[in-house]
Amino acid sequence: MSATHAALTQLLPLAGDTFDKNKVTPGVLGFIVFAALALAVWGLMKSMNRHMGKVDFQEAPEPAPAHTAPTADNPA
């Protein structure tokens, strides 16, 4: 039996006494993951706004229709 396994078997019953199955929280790791995701989304939104600000879109006017001879589909 390794020292780690022996230490875990000694500490596991102690954790079982204080563990409340009705009150489970994500803890510090859950907060760190959530904060990292929030920072990533904030950074992506900031980058998107910067890139959208560089866009200079002007719609070209429609070209005037060429004068065509009347047809059965398009009578003058």
Side-chain angles (χ1 to χ4, degrees):
M1 202 182 271
S2 69
T4 307
H5 188 265
L8 285 177
T9 55
Q10 294 293 326
L11 294 176
L12 197 56
L14 296 175
D17 294 338
T18 60
F19 182 69
D20 183 12
K21 292 183 180 182
N22 295 325
K23 185 179 178 185
V24 178
T25 61
V28 176
L29 180 62
F31 174 75
I32 291 171
V33 169
F34 181 77
L37 287 173
L39 283 173
V41 168
W42 178 78
L44 286 171
M45 293 296 290
K46 190 170 177 80
S47 175
M48 183 192 70
N49 282 334
R50 194 175 325 127
H51 282 87
M52 292 298 286
K54 292 180 183 178
V55 173
D56 185 24
F57 176 75
Q58 292 179 356
E59 188 172 338
E62 286 191 27
H67 188 67
T68 58
T71 61
D73 294 337
N74 187 14

